Every structure is written in structure tokens, then in C-alpha cells.
Amino acid sequence: MDLLRVDDRLADEERLIRDTVRDFVAERIEGSVAGWFEAGTFPARELGPELGKLGVLGMHLKGYGCAGTSAVA
């Protein structure tokens, strides 16, 4: 449900990025958050490269292999 109608304001590329990150979080993060919290850990070294492969690290920067997308994306 999109009460604020945010989807109407997103470009197609922004929606695609949102959906890709949403799927990644559902598959890779949601099931583990409680365990990480209880253990007081976070697998940054493991997740970092995966987020890099998705292209979301520095994605609003231009150059250096970054995507150059909008800050909204």
C-alpha cells in the first residue's frame, strides 16, 4: 500500500533499484537480523561485496565505477 503515492514520483530506474534492493534484503538480510542483533554482530565483510555487486555502494557518485544515479534511487 502506498498511501503517500511515492511510486508515482519515482522514475522507472528508481523503481527497478528499489525492487532489486528489496529482493536482496528479503533474501539475504531479513531472516538474519534478529540473530545478528542477539549476537551483537553484523557481517559487514560478507555483505559489503554483495552490496557492491548490486551497485548500491556510492551509487549516486559519478566516476570511479559508480553508477551516478540520483540520491532518491
Side-chain angles (χ1 to χ4, degrees):
M1 186 183 317
D2 187 12
L3 296 175
L4 299 177
R5 301 180 59 104
V6 173
D7 271 354
D8 295 344
R9 299 177 185 266
L10 297 177
D12 290 339
E13 181 183 7
E14 293 167 338
R15 279 190 210 95
L16 179 61
I17 292 168
R18 181 215 42 213
D19 293 343
T20 302
V21 172
R22 182 180 287 165
D23 291 344
F24 174 80
V25 169
E27 292 173 15
R28 198 61 188 86
I29 296 183
E30 283 180 0
S32 302
V33 169
W36 297 334
F37 177 79
E38 290 296 323
T41 62
F42 181 75
R45 289 182 185 216
E46 184 179 331
L47 291 175
E50 294 180 46
L51 291 168
K53 286 178 187 175
L54 283 178
V56 297
L57 300 179
M59 61 191 277
H60 65 285
L61 301 174
K62 293 183 181 180
Y64 305 103
C66 297
T69 61
S70 70
V72 172

